[in-house]
Amino acid sequence: MMKANERPERVTDAFSSSGEPDLLSGSHKAVNAKKDPPPEQPESIRIRSFVVLSFWALVVLLGLPIWWRTTKIYRADLPLHGMMDWADGKACRPVFPLRIIIEAASLQEQDAQHLLRTTQHALDDLNEFSAHHLRLELTQNAFGSNISVSSEGPSIVENDIFDQREDVALVVRLLPGDPGSMPTSELQAYSPTLDVYYTPNQLPSTSSSSSPLASFIAKKLQDTFAEEQAMIAYILSASNSGYKNALLSTPIGLPSQISQSSPAHAREPRSTLIKSLPADLAANLARRSTRSLKYSPTYHLTFSLFSPNAVPSSWDIEDALNEYLSPLLESFSSISNFTIDTQVQLYASFSPSVQEPQFDAEKGVWTLRREDLSGFVNAAEWPLSPSIGSGPTVNFVLYVPAHDRTPLVVHNDGGHSWLIPQWGGVTILNPDRPLSTERQISSHLAKEEIRPAILTFTHQLLSLLGTPESPSSLPLRLLTLTRVRSASLLLSASSTLGSLARLTLALPSISIPRSVAVSVDSTISHLRSTCTELREGRFRSALEMARIAEADAERGFFEKSMVGQVYFPDEHKVAVYLPLLGPVGVPLIMSALKELKRLLKRPRQGGGGAS
């Protein structure tokens, strides 16, 4: 039989204290029963994992390789170390050995050999720039006998010695002189020949190590090539490349006529070589370098006739150029080629920036201010093309002033021609005598009338091409220009290689096409040939090799497909890829993290059940 207090306890379980059923407690149990989802089947887990793995495999194995292949920047292998060696002057030490042929047909072989050794010793003592040295050689043959010297100009030099031996710089002919006279010399104006006149008593004895004749010849040779030595030293020292320090181990000084005032220059380092030059010489070389045109295998010459009136309307320019200029251009054929065109412009007015000519009553001339010379050419109205073809254009302007403004000269100095650096020259053609009312300007200019202007243009062209001012022999000046241009092109190509190497290292994202590698290989190959030809004294061949090397270096550095990559920064790539990869990458990453979390959680659950 049940006790009286047991029944109320079971009633309390079913009802609240108020006697109503406890519905809230039942609802909590129902909710708790709905929270737990049914356990996921192992097959579903495997399918989901396989789907996630499939997407990632597609991205990694297919997407990334395609993206890498299609967006990869091609960078051809460049010999960066070798390029920097050329830029630093470590790959080549430029030297300029000049072969001087001594022709002593009137001497016995023993006396000639002794004179040569004595002269070479004196020459070595005078020379302080070992990169540029003279080497004497003796010949008993009439090596220069076929050279014909003409007083008409450089056009008639038949059977030239340099057509027989390219590497010969000068021929010294020893000729008997007047008895009792001092040694004298004469440099042929249109032939690479130096005639030295001597007497037998001036020859060195077999026991003597010096003689007045040997010292005279050595001093004359040193003075002949003094300007060339200074020009080459200036080019090497003024270069931005490592050639400044390439010759530190070699005592380098100045030509003899310069170093006499400062003998200590021979021991100064190359970095101070230009500072050691006399101020006037250094300024002259700097002025010439800024005035002359950059070297080019081809130049275009434009000769223009300008007049403020309707006359003159024609000129014999073709005949004048053939007679007065063509011989000079032919002598330049081994250095550069030239093309020529002419034009006539009537009613050509002054530039608005130029003040009108003023009449000088005291001198009876019309004058132009010197400060107006640079703006004399009216570039806005005068049809002067800045460049035609691949080479630079050199403009030569012949201006014929109006009848009522002649003669027209430059104020102060009274000159009638001037040079415009790296552009050309201007010449004012005034009449030979004052014009009267009856005598007007001719409508046609004859060849003889424009001859002075063409000769002036000839001197201006030599200055614009960087031709040295000495010696007086034109063939020697052209040979000097050949060596100077070889040196400048060698340094220019080497410097360009260094710039390309530094650009490649500084911009790892820049494209390097295969054509750039080909240009670099060709440049280095021709630079090696240039250095070899210079060392062997074959300067014309060295100029040709250096010309090709410089052109290849410029072509490789300014490759258009490579330059365009410089303006494609990384920020641009982020702006392109982020909108595309964001919507695709977020779901893939989140699903991968979820699967990774599940895999990391499963071992812990297994370990908890076992315990």
Side-chain angles (χ1 to χ4, degrees), residues 82-94:
M83 295 166 65
M84 293 305 300
D85 285 346
W86 279 102
D88 295 337
K90 300 177 181 179
C92 173
R93 178 186 178 273

Side-chain angles (χ1 to χ4, degrees), residues 21-150:
D22 193 354
L23 301 178
L24 183 59
S25 176
S27 63
H28 276 286
K29 294 179 179 180
V31 171
N32 291 334
K34 293 180 180 179
K35 269 187 173 181
D36 297 332
E40 192 173 7
Q41 299 295 327
E43 184 66 22
S44 300
I45 296 176
R46 286 194 300 269
I47 292 175
R48 186 177 69 245
S49 301
F50 179 75
V51 170
V52 173
L53 182 61
S54 299
F55 273 106
W56 275 103
L58 186 66
V59 170
V60 174
L61 299 179
L62 185 62
L64 288 179
I66 293 177
W67 169 80
W68 179 260
R69 183 66 178 177
T70 55
T71 61
K72 180 182 178 181
I73 298 177
Y74 179 77
R75 290 173 63 87
D77 293 332
L78 299 180
L80 299 179
H81 182 72
M83 295 166 65
M84 293 305 300
D85 285 346
W86 279 102
D88 295 337
K90 300 177 181 179
C92 173
R93 178 186 178 273
V95 292
F96 304 87
L98 274 62
R99 296 185 61 226
I100 310 297
I101 298 298
I102 305 295
E103 182 185 331
S106 58
L107 295 179
Q108 297 294 326
E109 182 177 359
Q110 183 179 1
D111 295 337
Q113 291 287 354
H114 184 61
L115 176 62
L116 184 141
R117 288 191 297 269
T118 306
T119 305
Q120 183 69 68
H121 181 72
L123 192 61
D124 293 339
D125 291 341
L126 290 175
N127 185 32
E128 296 176 339
F129 185 19
S130 61
H132 182 282
H133 50 274
L134 309 180
R135 289 293 173 260
L136 305 181
E137 296 183 11
L138 184 65
T139 176
Q140 291 290 344
N141 300 325
F143 192 76
S145 60
N146 291 332
I147 302 176
S148 62
V149 181
S150 172

Side-chain angles (χ1 to χ4, degrees), residues 24 32 59 146 160 195 285 348 359 373 448 497 537:
L24 183 59
N32 291 334
V59 170
N146 291 332
D160 188 25
D195 294 334
L285 293 175
F359 183 72
L373 297 182
E448 291 74 15
L497 283 181

Side-chain angles (χ1 to χ4, degrees), residues 93-98 123-135 222 225-237 243-244 246-248 250-256 258-259 263 265-270 273-274 277 285 484 487 491:
R93 178 186 178 273
V95 292
F96 304 87
L98 274 62
L123 192 61
D124 293 339
D125 291 341
L126 290 175
N127 185 32
E128 296 176 339
F129 185 19
S130 61
H132 182 282
H133 50 274
L134 309 180
R135 289 293 173 260
Q222 187 70 15
F225 296 98
E227 185 176 358
E228 177 180 334
Q229 287 186 344
M231 292 178 67
I232 293 178
Y234 177 84
I235 290 174
L236 295 178
S237 297
Y243 285 91
K244 290 181 179 181
L247 304 179
L248 278 175
T250 304
I252 297 176
L254 302 175
S256 60
I258 300 171
S259 62
H265 289 160
R267 300 176 182 87
E268 294 187 359
R270 284 197 47 81
L273 180 58
I274 292 304
L277 292 175
L285 293 175
V484 170
L491 299 182

Side-chain angles (χ1 to χ4, degrees), residues 233-493:
Y234 177 84
I235 290 174
L236 295 178
S237 297
S239 173
N240 293 327
S241 64
Y243 285 91
K244 290 181 179 181
N245 302 319
L247 304 179
L248 278 175
S249 59
T250 304
I252 297 176
L254 302 175
S256 60
Q257 66 179 20
I258 300 171
S259 62
Q260 288 174 354
S261 59
S262 303
H265 289 160
R267 300 176 182 87
E268 294 187 359
R270 284 197 47 81
S271 58
T272 61
L273 180 58
I274 292 304
K275 297 180 182 179
S276 303
L277 292 175
D280 55 346
L281 178 60
N284 186 25
L285 293 175
R287 183 171 59 254
R288 265 193 273 171
S289 64
T290 57
R291 178 180 60 193
S292 60
L293 292 162
K294 181 182 178 181
Y295 174 78
S296 175
T298 303
Y299 295 95
H300 184 79
L301 308 182
T302 298
F303 294 88
S304 305
L305 173 62
F306 287 89
S307 174
N309 299 320
V311 292
S313 58
S314 60
W315 54 337
D316 290 335
I317 184 63
E318 185 175 354
D319 294 339
L321 292 178
N322 289 335
E323 183 170 349
Y324 306 126
L325 184 65
S326 293
L328 176 65
L329 300 184
E330 291 176 1
S331 62
F332 268 94
S333 59
S334 61
I335 303 176
S336 297
N337 297 319
F338 300 88
T339 59
I340 300 176
D341 72 343
T342 63
Q343 63 176 345
V344 177
Q345 178 70 21
L346 305 178
Y347 300 102
S349 59
F350 284 129
S351 174
S353 61
V354 175
Q355 183 178 343
E356 291 293 327
Q358 302 295 320
F359 183 72
D360 189 341
E362 181 180 353
K363 298 181 180 179
V365 296
W366 292 85
T367 61
L368 283 170
R369 298 188 308 168
R370 177 172 291 275
E371 53 267 25
D372 290 335
L373 297 182
S374 59
F376 179 84
V377 176
N378 190 353
E381 299 182 9
W382 293 5
L384 297 172
S385 176
S387 62
I388 298 178
S390 58
T393 296
V394 186
N395 293 280
F396 295 104
V397 175
L398 179 61
Y399 184 81
V400 181
H403 172 268
D404 56 348
R405 291 190 176 182
T406 56
L408 180 63
V409 297
V410 179
H411 186 59
N412 294 334
D413 61 4
H416 60 277
S417 63
W418 61 92
L419 187 71
I420 302 178
Q422 300 186 10
W423 187 86
V426 179
T427 298
I428 299 175
L429 182 61
N430 292 306
D432 296 336
R433 58 183 184 274
L435 298 176
S436 60
T437 305
E438 295 78 11
R439 181 175 177 268
Q440 301 293 331
I441 298 178
S442 173
S443 61
H444 179 77
L445 294 178
K447 179 179 66 175
E448 291 74 15
E449 293 181 271
I450 61 177
R451 178 180 180 273
I454 300 300
L455 295 180
T456 301
F457 290 152
T458 299
H459 290 288
Q460 292 175 345
L461 178 61
L462 290 175
S463 298
L464 291 170
L465 295 179
T467 309
E469 298 176 354
S470 64
S472 58
S473 175
L474 180 60
L476 290 182
R477 293 164 64 191
L478 295 182
L479 289 174
T480 295
L481 183 61
T482 300
R483 291 184 281 269
V484 170
R485 291 302 192 186
S486 300
S488 61
L489 289 177
L490 173 67
L491 299 182
S492 177

